[in-house]
Amino acid sequence: VLWAMGALAFFFHAALRIADTTGPIALVATYLGIILLPFDVLKRDSRRWLVRVVCRGLLAPLFAVSFEDFWMMDQLMSSTVMLLDLQFFVCFLSNGRDSTDSICVSMTYGIRPVVSCLPAWCRFWQCMRRYHD
């Protein structure tokens, strides 16, 4: 339902008299708000597990690595292309849908290598921690 509302807000932004980026930004903000919601609604244990496992994966050398940490970093490794496309998503939302590709491509100088190496770097530190333990 939330995704459909975001898509409809994007497609009918002229009739609703809102900016074309309002729907996608509201959708992402809603999803992040739900994940970080501190109240005991909407499967709080599952949301806390997700945040805990992602944080443990990003801070891999500091904690013993369990199966769930290993599994989550495997999912993150599989999502590297999606993480790279996230940079274009943010660029097009901030510069407007009608912006030229050269604006978003010129802004990728240092971001794309870091984002593409981050999952592999976290996985490497997990392997080092597993070897150490």
Side-chain angles (χ1 to χ4, degrees):
V1 173
L2 293 175
W3 185 89
M5 288 174 55
L8 288 173
F10 176 74
F11 291 130
F12 298 111
H13 69 276
L16 295 171
R17 295 188 184 124
I18 59 175
D20 58 347
T21 58
T22 303
I25 290 173
L27 182 64
V28 170
T30 303
Y31 284 150
L32 287 176
I34 288 172
I35 288 173
L36 300 175
L37 187 69
F39 306 116
D40 195 11
V41 292
L42 299 173
K43 309 264 187 218
R44 179 181 180 204
D45 294 335
S46 299
R47 291 183 286 117
R48 287 182 66 197
W49 176 86
L50 177 68
V51 172
R52 181 178 55 86
V53 170
V54 168
C55 288
R56 285 176 58 100
L58 294 175
L59 301 171
L62 304 177
F63 301 103
V65 179
S66 64
F67 174 76
E68 60 190 8
D69 303 326
F70 187 77
W71 179 80
M72 185 56 73
M73 282 299 110
D74 192 35
Q75 298 300 315
L76 193 61
M77 287 286 295
S78 300
S79 302
T80 303
V81 175
M82 184 269 311
L83 292 173
L84 290 172
D85 289 342
L86 188 64
Q87 183 262 334
F88 285 113
F89 176 73
V90 171
C91 178
F92 284 124
L93 285 182
S94 63
N95 292 320
R97 194 169 46 125
D98 298 326
S99 65
T100 60
D101 290 339
S102 62
I103 294 172
C104 293
V105 171
S106 65
M107 295 174 56
T108 63
Y109 176 65
I111 297 171
R112 290 184 70 84
V114 171
V115 171
S116 64
C117 290
L118 185 64
W121 188 251
C122 292
R123 186 60 173 258
F124 169 75
W125 283 112
Q126 276 187 336
C127 293
M128 290 294 107
R129 179 62 190 227
R130 292 285 292 205
Y131 180 75
H132 179 265
D133 292 342

